[in-house]
């Protein structure tokens, strides 16, 4: 049986851990609110962009379409972009995303495709490196961004574009976590290249008038598609960010609760031990007195 | 029906303006054009410059750093890369920033990536300065 002092030390250490997890939970809650707000604020742009793209994609067809929309006509080399967080202590958040990506990768490999991986976020890179170290062709470090902005998305977008233009891959799929609620983040796959016109968005009713394009449809689409892609990346980054804080919050909440349980258990054992010690001493004194 | 133009200005991060106005003058890549209610459908690339929102005799000038304008029978949507209200901009500060960016450009001769960033910054600030006049 450990001594009373050991018990006291353990209780104190669990208590300070609990204080830390409690603080982290509150910080995550505050940041989650902000991340959610910015994910929401970015939605109008994404919606309107989707409408414009749907509209344009129906006007430009066939060989005139820019490479981003048309694709390379093959699907042999697949780029898998895995977006995860830069930091841990968020429960199974990153593992979930990596697992979804891994399933897709195994499927692609089984189908005889060549897989390349671009990791965004440190945690996913670390997990993937263990499994597919030779397949990782790039890593985007966003740890310098305290808040996700369009610049962060631009960096990721530029990287993907650069790889695409140098013919590194045919199809790019993005893996991230869609934020559904604080306790539920859904790993999601999104095909980036060739770009898909959004579903369920109808071109506006022009009431018989014809669209005019300045300069031309092709040029506009050419300029618009990278932005559409960046917009999708930004949206994914923001959703991921919100999901990360949500996951961190619930993980820290659990940790705080577990620490509380542990303190209760330890206190109980501490008190029992203390009483046992007192009883033992009393017995010693009494039996000593009786012996006289 | 009092004719008003439904105008929305959005940037990737947030919606900056949404409402009914009298007229919007858009700095299109092929030249400035004004959009009044019931304009014919047009889609145009925007070059960096001042977007003028005219409503009830007052004019608001907003700097947009590239993007797209989409005119449909429902109204005008501007998808801007970046948008700043020109009333919030201090000219001296812009000139200082421009000077810094030009210095960066001069210092960045060795690296392509750096030069690209600096060039972008200079182009943006020059357009911003021009829009202030």
């Amino acid at each position: 049986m450990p001594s009373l002092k050991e018990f006291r030390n353990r209780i104190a250490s669990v208590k300070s851990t609990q204080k830390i997890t409690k603080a982290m939970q509150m910080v995550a809650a505050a940041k989650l609110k902000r991340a959610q707000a910015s994910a929401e604020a970015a939605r109008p742009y994404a919606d309107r962009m989707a409408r414009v793209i749907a509209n344009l994609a129906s006007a430009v067809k066939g060989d005139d379409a820019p490479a981003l929309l048309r694709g390379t006509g093959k699907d042999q080399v697949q780029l898998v972009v895995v977006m995860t967080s830069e930091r841990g202590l968020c429960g199974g958040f990153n593992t979930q995303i990596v697992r979804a990506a891994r399933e897709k990768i195994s499927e692609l490999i089984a189908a005889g495709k060549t897989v390349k991986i671009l990791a965004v976020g440190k945690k996913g890179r670390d997990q993937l490196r263990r499994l597919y170290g030779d397949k990782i062709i790039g890593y985007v470090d966003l740890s310098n961004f305290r808040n996700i902005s369009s610049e962060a998305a631009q960096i990721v977008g530029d990287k993907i574009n650069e790889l695409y233009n140098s013919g590194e891959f045919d199809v790019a799929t993005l893996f991230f976590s869609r934020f559904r609620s604080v306790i539920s983040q859904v790993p999601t796959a999104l095909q980036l290249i060739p770009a898909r016109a959004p579903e369920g968005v109808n071109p506006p009713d022009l009431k018989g008038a014809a669209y005019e394009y300045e300069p031309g449809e092709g040029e506009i689409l050419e300029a618009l598609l990278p932005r559409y892609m960046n917009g999708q990346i930004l949206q994914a980054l923001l959703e991921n960010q919100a999901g990360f804080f949500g996951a961190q919050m619930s993980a820290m909440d659990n940790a705080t609760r577990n620490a509380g349980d542990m303190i209760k258990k330890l206190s109980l054992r501490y008190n029992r031990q203390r009483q046992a010690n007192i009883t033992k001493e009393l017995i010693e004194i009494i039996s000593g007195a009786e012996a006289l | 029906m009092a004719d008003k133009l439904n105008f929305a200005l959005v940037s990737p991060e947030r919606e900056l303006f949404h409402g009914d106005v009298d007229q919007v003058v858009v700095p299109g890549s092929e030249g400035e054009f004004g959009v009044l209610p019931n304009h014919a459908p047009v889609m145009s690339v925007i070059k960096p410059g001042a977007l003028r929102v005219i409503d009830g005799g007052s004019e608001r000038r907003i700097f947009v750093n590239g993007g797209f304008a989409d005119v449909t029978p429902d109204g005008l949507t501007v998808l801007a890369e970046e948008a700043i209200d020109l009333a919030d901009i201090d000219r001296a500060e812009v000139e200082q920033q421009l000077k810094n960016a030009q210095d960066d450009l001069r210092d960045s001769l060795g690296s392509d990536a750096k030069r690209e960033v600096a060039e972008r910054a200079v182009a943006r600030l020059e357009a911003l300065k021009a829009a202030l006049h």
Side-chain angles (χ1 to χ4, degrees):
Chain A
M1 210 58 181
S3 73
L4 286 181
K5 182 159 170 37
E6 274 168 53
F7 271 123
R8 271 199 300 271
N9 285 346
R10 276 196 68 187
I11 291 173
S13 102
V14 175
K15 263 191 186 149
S16 58
T17 308
Q18 190 188 29
K19 263 184 208 152
I20 294 169
T21 56
K22 180 98 195 154
M24 280 184 79
Q25 187 215 332
M26 288 194 288
V27 170
K31 284 187 174 167
L32 168 66
K33 235 180 217 167
R34 227 178 17 209
Q36 243 178 314
S38 52
E40 233 133 75
R43 223 156 269 165
Y45 184 84
D47 286 350
R48 293 193 184 261
M49 183 65 108
R51 223 174 298 164
V52 174
I53 289 276
N55 186 3
L56 264 172
S58 60
V60 183
K61 286 225 167 73
D63 289 344
D64 297 338
L68 280 176
L69 189 65
R70 205 178 56 227
T72 53
K74 291 178 289 184
D75 62 349
Q76 182 52 38
V77 186
Q78 299 260 354
L79 180 74
V80 177
V81 185
V82 185
M83 267 183 192
T84 50
S85 66
E86 292 291 338
R87 285 193 234 173
L89 291 177
C90 52
F93 177 74
N94 291 317
T95 317
Q96 264 186 357
I97 301 172
V98 170
R99 192 187 304 137
R102 218 170 55 203
E103 275 164 16
K104 172 85 176 174
I105 292 169
S106 323
E107 205 177 285
L108 288 170
I109 290 175
K113 311 270 190 244
T114 316
V115 177
K116 293 179 177 178
I117 299 171
L118 175 68
V120 180
K122 197 170 78 192
K123 290 290 158 185
R125 181 197 57 169
D126 293 349
Q127 288 192 17
L128 285 166
R129 199 159 45 186
R130 251 170 279 146
L131 293 159
Y132 307 107
D134 51 328
K135 293 194 169 58
I136 298 181
I137 55 166
Y139 164 57
V140 182
D141 181 11
L142 296 178
S143 52
N144 296 330
F145 287 92
R146 300 197 60 201
N147 289 312
I148 299 297
S149 62
S150 50
E151 280 155 59
Q154 178 101 39
I155 291 175
V156 180
D158 285 352
K159 179 89 189 168
I160 295 174
N161 241 331
E162 187 190 307
L163 290 169
Y164 185 62
N165 289 336
S166 55
E168 285 276 344
F169 65 88
D170 301 316
V171 177
T173 313
L174 181 65
F175 281 89
F176 67 103
S177 211
R178 202 172 277 289
F179 179 82
R180 203 192 283 155
S181 73
V182 175
I183 46 164
S184 157
Q185 297 87 31
V186 191
T188 311
L190 176 79
Q191 184 176 318
L192 271 184
I193 298 174
R196 279 203 189 137
E199 282 164 33
V201 185
N202 295 321
D205 176 19
L206 298 183
K207 299 182 179 125
Y211 239 111
E212 268 178 54
Y213 296 95
E214 271 182 40
E217 295 103 310
E219 285 93 337
I220 292 185
L221 198 53
E222 192 111 14
L224 199 63
L225 275 172
R227 292 190 177 120
Y228 177 55
M229 197 174 85
N230 284 354
Q232 284 180 317
I233 294 170
L234 176 66
Q235 190 73 25
L237 282 172
L238 288 170
E239 296 246 356
N240 235 13
Q241 171 107 331
F244 166 71
F245 287 127
Q248 184 169 56
M249 200 177 105
S250 48
M252 286 303 116
D253 188 38
N254 277 340
T256 311
R257 217 165 330 161
N258 284 345
D261 288 349
M262 206 159 166
I263 290 170
K264 237 184 245 162
K265 261 186 223 151
L266 282 172
S267 311
L268 190 68
R269 281 174 62 193
Y270 168 74
N271 286 334
R272 264 198 204 134
Q273 182 70 31
R274 192 172 55 90
Q275 279 175 325
N277 283 356
I278 293 168
T279 315
K280 204 173 87 195
E281 275 171 32
L282 277 176
I283 290 171
E284 274 165 11
I285 293 167
I286 292 166
S287 45
E290 269 178 4
L292 283 176
Chain B
M1 183 182 111
D3 265 353
K4 283 271 194 179
L5 174 71
N6 183 349
F7 170 56
L9 174 63
V10 289
S11 77
E13 275 121 15
R14 61 202 176 92
E15 189 171 60
L16 295 144
F17 184 88
H18 191 178
D20 289 338
V21 296
D22 285 333
Q23 187 192 355
V24 180
V25 179
V26 181
S29 64
E30 314 273 280
E32 267 195 352
F33 60 93
V35 180
L36 286 163
N38 300 322
H39 193 285
V42 172
M43 188 176 294
S44 171
V45 177
I46 293 178
K47 64 169 198 245
L51 184 102
R52 305 208 307 265
V53 183
I54 299 159
D55 188 37
S58 71
E59 185 185 281
R60 204 171 143 200
R61 290 161 63 88
I62 301 168
F63 172 73
V64 286
N65 186 23
F68 294 87
D70 181 23
V71 185
T72 63
D74 303 330
L76 166 68
T77 305
V78 174
L79 301 166
E81 299 288 280
E82 184 198 1
I84 321 166
D85 199 326
L86 281 174
D88 299 340
I89 295 173
D90 180 29
R91 174 169 308 191
E93 206 172 294
V94 171
E95 271 169 26
Q96 183 57 45
Q97 280 176 6
L98 181 58
K99 206 173 278 166
N100 291 347
Q102 280 164 342
D103 286 345
D104 284 349
L105 184 58
R106 231 167 287 134
D107 296 342
S108 66
L109 284 174
S111 135
D112 275 353
K114 256 192 204 157
R115 205 185 61 221
E116 216 169 278
V117 172
E119 266 172 6
R120 232 185 271 173
V122 169
R124 174 185 167 266
L125 288 163
E126 270 171 357
L128 182 55
K129 197 178 143 194
L132 278 172
H133 293 298

